[in-house]
Every structure is written in structure tokens, then in C-alpha cells.
């Protein structure tokens, strides 16, 4: 019997070409695909929302988000994904989470079902305004704010991370892998006038 060897590849492997793109000069936007992460969706079982919240607080040391926001811990980010549910973005996988939430929540591994794109730079908000109706002004969408929304008719989870060291805002987008390449090209088209620096990273 033939043996198969599976090689994990990014859905953006063909589309992502690292380096400058668009207008010449200083890049107004940085687009970075974040790779090698674990993403687990935690969903409260019927009537178990309070138990799930207690389990999350006990395991992570912080309260799980109950409203559209993202909460950063030492080694994970908890991102609201709907009523009584949230994503765990980490490098720990489901192994440790399963016993912690046993009986209180159902877990779904989404690690290879989503693509994570980080967007930053002086023109990041202008670029995102072309694709989303969310008000991303600093007062309306502060650090830690999140939204389940759409970009160019594609469903995404969007949240604002910590600012870069130069003070520029950072926005993170989770998109289904099957739509990632299409959205990536749309992003490139929408930001070409500002100049882009494209890359990928193993860190989130």
C-alpha cells in the first residue's frame, strides 16, 4: 500500500510574494501573513455559559471575552466570536484545553481552516475603510476591540492588537482559508496606491 506524506502549506503560498509592492517610496501599509499558529473555537454547551466562563478564568487567568473584544494573555489571545463562544489563538493546540473545558464547552480545531493576516502602517485605516464598514478610529476601535464582520463580502474576524513600537496601529484579520487568496488580492489592489511591504512571520 502506498504511503502518503502530508505537507502543510499556506493557502497564500502562491499569492504572497515578500517585498515591496505598489507605489514607490516608504510603504504606507505592511501586510503580514502569520503562520504556524493554533486556533481553537470554544463554544459553551447548552446552559453551561457560566461554567465555561469559570473554566476560562481558571485556565487562562483572565475572563473570556463576552463582548466583541480580544484579550491577550502571556501565551494566548482570546477573541470573541459570538455569544458564549470565543477563539483561542496560541501555539498550544487542543490538548491542554480539552480537559480544562470538559463538560462546559465544545472545542473545534480551526488551525488549518483560517488564515491570519496582520495589517499595520500609517495608511492601514485608509486601506481597511475601502473594504469594511467598521469605524476603526482609535476612539471607536481601541486596542482589544474586535468584530465579526465582512471585508469585500467575505466574512472575517477583525481585532486590533497592540500598537507597533513606532506607535502605528495593528489590525488582525482571520479569514476562512478558502477565501484567503481572493481577499489577499483585493487587499493588494486596495492598498497599491499607498505602497505595501509584504511578508510572513512565524510569530503572532
Amino acid at each position: 500500500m502506498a504511503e502518503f506524506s502530508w505537507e502543510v502549506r499556506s493557502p497564500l503560498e502562491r499569492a504572497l510574494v515578500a517585498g515591496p509592492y505598489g507605489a514607490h517610496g516608504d510603504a504606507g501599509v505592511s501586510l503580514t501573513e502569520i503562520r504556524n499558529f493554533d486556533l481553537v473555537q470554544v463554544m459553551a454547551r447548552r446552559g453551561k455559559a457560566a461554567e465555561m466562563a469559570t473554566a476560562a478564568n481558571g485556565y487562562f487567568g483572565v475572563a473570556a471575552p463576552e463582548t466583541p473584544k480580544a484579550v491577550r494573555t502571556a501565551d494566548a489571545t482570546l477573541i470573541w466570536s459570538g455569544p458564549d463562544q470565543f477563539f483561542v489563538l496560541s501555539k498550544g493546540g487542543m490538548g491542554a484545553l480539552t480537559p480544562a473545558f470538559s463538560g462546559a464547552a465544545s472545542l473545534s480545531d480551526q488551525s488549518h481552516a483560517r488564515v491570519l493576516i496582520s495589517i499595520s502602517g500609517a495608511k492601514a485605516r485608509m486601506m481597511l475603510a475601502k473594504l469594511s464598514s467598521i469605524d476603526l478610529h482609535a476612539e471607536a476601535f481601541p486596542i482589544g476591540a474586535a468584530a465579526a464582520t465582512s471585508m469585500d463580502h467575505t466574512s472575517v474576524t477583525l481585532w486590533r492588537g497592540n500598537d507597533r513600537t513606532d506607535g502605528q496601529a495593528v489590525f488582525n484579520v482571520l479569514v476562512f482559508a478558502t477565501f484567503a487568496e481572493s481577499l489577499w488580492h483585493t487587499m493588494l489592489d486596495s492598498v497599491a496606491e499607498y505602497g505595501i511591504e509584504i511578508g510572513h512571520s512565524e510569530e503572532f
Side-chain angles (χ1 to χ4, degrees):
M1 180 180 295
E3 294 185 3
F4 294 92
S5 177
W6 299 99
E7 181 180 354
V8 177
R9 295 185 178 181
S10 164
L12 295 181
E13 184 170 321
R14 294 183 303 173
L16 191 155
V17 179
Y21 180 88
H24 297 294
D26 294 337
V29 175
S30 293
L31 288 181
T32 304
E33 182 199 4
I34 311 300
R35 298 178 179 176
N36 295 331
F37 60 86
D38 291 311
L39 184 70
V40 177
Q41 189 163 27
V42 181
M43 300 162 285
R45 295 183 179 177
R46 183 175 299 177
K48 300 287 187 177
E51 290 183 30
M52 181 190 73
T54 299
N57 208 330
Y59 185 82
F60 295 106
V62 298
E66 297 180 351
T67 58
K69 64 180 182 178
V71 180
R72 189 83 182 258
T73 73
D75 54 8
T77 301
L78 313 183
I79 310 143
W80 180 89
S81 60
D84 300 329
Q85 58 184 284
F86 60 93
F87 289 120
V88 178
L89 177 65
S90 70
K91 290 192 175 181
M94 286 185 58
L97 295 178
T98 300
F101 288 94
S102 177
S106 298
L107 307 183
S108 174
D109 191 341
Q110 298 289 307
S111 303
H112 300 299
R114 311 283 177 126
V115 169
L116 176 57
I117 301 170
S118 177
I119 305 164
S120 62
K123 303 293 186 180
R125 286 187 176 89
M126 296 177 69
M127 169 238 172
L128 289 168
K130 297 181 180 183
L131 305 177
S132 172
S133 60
I134 297 290
D135 183 355
L136 297 177
H137 188 277
E139 294 182 1
F141 206 80
I143 292 173
T149 183
S150 64
M151 296 179 66
D152 193 44
H153 309 292
T154 301
S155 296
V156 301
T157 299
L158 169 70
W159 75 97
R160 185 175 165 193
N162 292 333
D163 290 349
R164 297 190 325 196
T165 54
D166 63 0
Q168 294 295 342
V170 176
F171 300 93
N172 301 292
V173 174
L174 275 174
V175 58
F176 283 106
T178 50
F179 299 111
E181 185 171 347
S182 174
L183 182 59
W184 180 263
H185 286 299
T186 299
M187 287 180 174
L188 293 183
D189 290 343
S190 68
V191 80
E193 65 176 299
Y194 308 129
I196 319 166
E197 184 63 33
I198 299 171
H200 61 81
S201 173
E202 308 299 322
E203 300 297 330
F204 58 86

